[in-house]
Amino acid sequence: MATKRIRLPGPPPTEGSGSTPLTIEFLVEQPFLATREHARFVEFAEACAHYRYIGVCHGRPGVGKTRSAREFSSFPDLGEYAALRPIGGHSVDGTLNNAKGEQSANA
């Protein structure tokens, strides 16, 4: 997967210090390309679902096993979503919420 490098602001390294400027790498999502291997994966996954088998997909790293599985399942990327209501009924300030998300008076 491709990455995008961003240089952090800061003083430039001094000559002879051996240090390099700080950078952060962010993953850049590439468009999905359906290949022959993905078609084989889809056939395998549909057969597993039809016959209720547990399938194991294995192979070299970086060939697209995880990407094919995500594309096949149409599972959305949940990284951008935040919890609408905290789990356990507690709000950020520690007070207890009822089932409708309203704060109770005796908390």
Side-chain angles (χ1 to χ4, degrees):
M1 192 169 277
T3 59
K4 178 180 180 182
R5 289 186 177 202
I6 297 177
R7 182 175 287 187
L8 298 176
T14 59
E15 188 175 330
S17 66
S19 64
T20 58
L22 295 175
T23 59
I24 298 178
E25 293 187 7
F26 294 100
L27 293 176
V28 178
E29 187 70 25
Q30 299 293 319
F32 182 76
L33 179 64
T35 61
R36 186 177 357 165
E37 291 299 319
H38 175 68
R40 293 169 102 186
F41 177 85
V42 169
E43 181 181 358
F44 164 74
E46 287 174 347
C48 288
H50 181 265
Y51 294 108
R52 297 182 180 200
Y53 285 163
I54 296 175
V56 177
C57 185
H58 63 91
R60 295 187 335 255
V63 296
K65 297 178 298 291
T66 303
R67 186 77 189 263
S68 287
R70 286 183 180 160
E71 194 69 26
F72 174 76
S73 66
S74 301
F75 195 78
D77 180 22
L78 301 177
E80 299 176 6
Y81 293 96
L84 299 176
R85 190 175 72 208
I87 297 172
H90 293 280
S91 64
V92 176
D93 60 359
T95 59
L96 185 64
N97 293 334
N98 63 17
K100 293 181 182 177
E102 301 165 352
Q103 290 186 357
S104 60
N106 57 1

